[in-house]
Amino acid sequence: MADLSKMGAGAEPGSIESRSRQAFSRGRSVFPDGTTRVTVERDPIPRYIDHGEGAYLIDVDGRRFLDLNSNFTTLIHGHAFPPVVEAVTRQIQSGACFANPTELEIELAELLRGRIPRIDKIRFVSTGTEAVMFAIKAARAFTGRSAIAKFEGAYHGAYDWVEVSQAAGPQNWGAAERPSSVAYYHGMPQAVLDETLVLPFNDAATTAKRVEENASSLAAIIVDPMPSRAGLLWPKAEFLEALHNVCRANDILIIADEVLNLRQGFSGASPRYGLEPDVLAIGKIIGGGLPIGAVGGRADVMAVFDAGAGRPLVPQGGTFSANPISIAAGLAAMRALDKKAFDRLEALGDRLRERLNAAISKHDASFCVTGAASLLRIHPKSVPPETYRQACLSPGESEIMAALARHFTGNGILFPRDAASCLSTPMNRADIDFVADVFEAFLAAGELPQTVVQ
Ligand SMILES: Cc1ncc(COP(=O)(O)O)c(C=O)c1O
């Protein structure tokens, strides 16, 4: 529950006396840009964290914030969730990692298979990136084809093929009916670009046409049912239907990337939207806040990992795969997430989206909200975007989001500017109303740049 007396007190990171500023100048001497993740927000410098408590974070200058980031949606129970702390403490006292399997990993695998449709078999890895990578390798081995298709603007981690067009913009994204394959980093091999077909999310006709044209080389299409970095876009039913039809007709596998969206419900996100994947990549919440990923799916596809009869088609190892600390933390977190917990989170999410929308209507502001369950994004646009191109921000809109994020932090809320906001189980109605009130105060202040007030 918010201790409002402490919210927002203390030095801001940019101020000369702040400890964040001191930490950042030390960080800059050892890290290329002062940090070790490109995703760390900085305005103008990063905020260094001292500790977390439930739904709250306390920075090194003693300022307290309601955390809507939760390490990029991972911490569904917030910070230092007691069952996770206990499970990790117990496990580390019996050993951090072994070259042998543990019974714990079977328990977590059984729990996940019991909840998530279309997972017959599963393998654990250490990150969502690895889960995506092995899902793609499995599809290649199973189909004997090497190319993949992905949706423009969708984020799937740091494996080269899925990085293609992750940050495409108007200057290089090409025609809407034939999106270009755009390099994400300087020096990305042309071979990767040539083997990655980029599709427009929610455009059924173009997706079907482009896949048909390239069908013989495609192993799989990777799709996040609600791509978050691309705008947390609601998937259209006819789009998913077209995707199924073209994949089934051409023996192309569907990989659902639910690394983030698994938190939409007890059984994840795919069933909610009628998506029927052959393989799934999952992560984040299943590790209780520790590093984890998993690839699961149809038994015949997952058989590519089977080393029972010698070298498998896809050898998958990993020093830290299924490490018992992550598995123990994940079990504690997932056991606490029963259907009731998901329903409660969803009700809080619905309330927050309703209150934000009511404030937007009241002030006749050019904002909108997308998302579902415990996830949401605020866009500086009057109509909810349906595609990555519609969700992309102009320089003026980026300024508006920067101003909004500053307003939120100034009032004690950490609000991810370019990513999905999320709720966690320690939050309550008062926290939700607090976020809505702070947003409404931003609209009421009426200091929006001209591009917003239309
Ligand atoms: C949809 C999606 N896929 C994959 C990943 C990569 O996961 P990780 O950061 O654990 O490698 C992320 C991370 O944010 C994600 O949101």
Side-chain angles (χ1 to χ4, degrees):
M1 177 55 209
D3 177 356
L4 297 178
S5 63
K6 289 196 189 144
M7 309 294 280
E12 259 301 281
S15 68
I16 198 87
E17 72 278 16
S18 86
R19 276 187 60 183
S20 279
R21 196 181 170 114
Q22 290 159 18
F24 188 51
S25 56
R26 276 177 62 205
R28 274 209 296 217
S29 74
V30 281
F31 305 125
D33 67 358
T35 68
T36 69
R37 290 199 274 182
V38 70
T39 42
V40 169
E41 290 194 5
R42 48 188 79 208
D43 184 19
I45 65 164
R47 179 181 307 282
Y48 285 73
I49 296 305
D50 184 84
H51 67 284
E53 290 171 5
Y56 289 83
L57 273 182
I58 292 82
D59 77 7
V60 289
D61 289 295
R63 293 190 58 174
R64 189 178 163 84
F65 297 91
L66 182 66
D67 185 8
L68 295 182
N69 186 311
S70 291
N71 194 29
F72 300 105
T73 76
T74 301
L75 298 163
I76 199 162
H77 294 297
H79 302 275
F81 180 53
V84 167
V85 174
E86 277 160 36
V88 167
T89 309
R90 202 177 326 117
Q91 183 56 47
I92 205 157
Q93 283 165 346
S94 355
C97 49
F98 318 110
N100 302 64
T102 64
E103 289 170 327
L104 275 183
E105 72 197 36
I106 305 173
E107 249 177 273
L108 184 57
E110 286 171 348
L111 181 149
L112 295 169
R113 187 176 62 178
R115 293 181 177 200
I116 306 169
R118 305 186 76 78
I119 290 189
D120 299 328
K121 291 280 170 67
I122 191 163
R123 298 282 282 221
F124 288 113
V125 287
S126 299
T127 63
T129 292
E130 275 183 276
V132 164
M133 176 177 80
F134 281 114
I136 290 171
K137 289 187 180 190
R140 288 179 179 144
F142 185 77
T143 60
R145 304 168 183 164
S146 55
I148 63 146
K150 66 156 291 186
F151 291 94
E152 195 171 51
Y155 182 75
H156 301 289
Y159 186 45
D160 291 50
W161 284 264
V162 291
E163 288 185 310
V164 173
S165 289
Q166 183 179 299
Q171 71 288 359
N172 56 21
W173 61 26
E177 61 286 357
R178 204 183 171 86
S180 305
S181 294
V182 178
Y184 181 58
Y185 66 89
H186 199 69
M188 181 178 254
Q190 186 59 44
V192 169
L193 296 166
D194 292 344
E195 295 236 302
T196 308
L197 176 70
V198 177
L199 302 167
F201 191 81
N202 265 340
D203 180 340
T206 303
T207 294
K209 180 167 177 288
R210 295 292 289 143
V211 173
E212 285 288 359
E213 286 166 2
N214 293 274
S216 60
S217 61
L218 288 174
I221 299 184
I222 184 162
V223 57
D224 179 338
M226 185 175 278
S228 64
R229 288 267 174 191
L232 205 63
L233 310 167
W234 289 305
K236 290 184 186 170
E238 71 265 23
F239 160 70
L240 291 182
E241 198 188 327
L243 186 67
H244 278 129
N245 292 342
V246 75
C247 286
R248 300 292 178 246
N250 293 286
D251 296 324
I252 297 165
L253 299 187
I254 298 177
I255 299 172
D257 180 352
E258 291 207 31
V259 169
L260 187 148
N261 274 305
L262 192 74
R263 64 151 49 227
Q264 285 202 22
F266 187 78
S267 300
S270 289
R272 203 179 165 114
Y273 304 105
L275 181 65
E276 296 189 341
D278 302 292
V279 184
L280 290 98
I282 56 178
K284 294 199 194 255
I285 65 165
I286 66 164
L290 276 84
I292 202 161
V295 51
R298 271 168 46 186
D300 56 347
V301 180
M302 292 297 290
V304 301
F305 297 116
D306 188 341
R311 193 174 183 279
L313 294 184
V314 180
Q316 176 258 316
T319 304
F320 295 107
S321 291
N323 82 83
I325 311 278
S326 293
I327 299 285
L331 263 174
M334 294 305 290
R335 282 190 185 129
L337 281 171
D338 53 13
K339 287 186 176 152
K340 212 168 126 209
F342 277 108
D343 288 347
R344 183 178 166 277
L345 266 181
E346 178 137 0
L348 287 178
D350 287 343
R351 179 177 176 86
L352 182 52
R353 282 182 294 273
E354 272 165 32
R355 284 222 43 204
L356 297 174
N357 279 321
I360 291 166
S361 302
K362 181 172 157 194
H363 295 276
D364 200 19
S366 274
F367 278 96
C368 64
V369 183
T370 57
S374 57
L375 291 160
L376 68 107
R377 268 189 89 153
I378 298 175
H379 304 263
K381 316 245 179 202
S382 52
V383 181
E386 292 183 343
T387 66
Y388 168 65
R389 295 190 181 197
Q390 289 170 4
C392 264
L393 301 183
S394 66
E397 289 168 333
S398 289
E399 268 178 49
I400 293 162
M401 290 310 286
L404 178 61
R406 245 172 262 134
H407 172 81
F408 271 122
T409 36
N411 287 281
I413 297 170
L414 279 192
F415 167 79
R417 194 170 91 184
D418 305 315
S421 290
C422 66
L423 307 183
S424 55
T425 55
M427 290 183 188
N428 56 28
R429 274 173 75 124
D431 294 313
I432 297 309
D433 290 343
F434 173 52
V435 176
D437 290 346
V438 169
F439 179 63
E440 178 155 12
F442 180 76
L443 301 183
E447 287 166 7
L448 302 179
Q450 282 307 304
T451 40
V452 175
V453 188
Q454 291 170 355

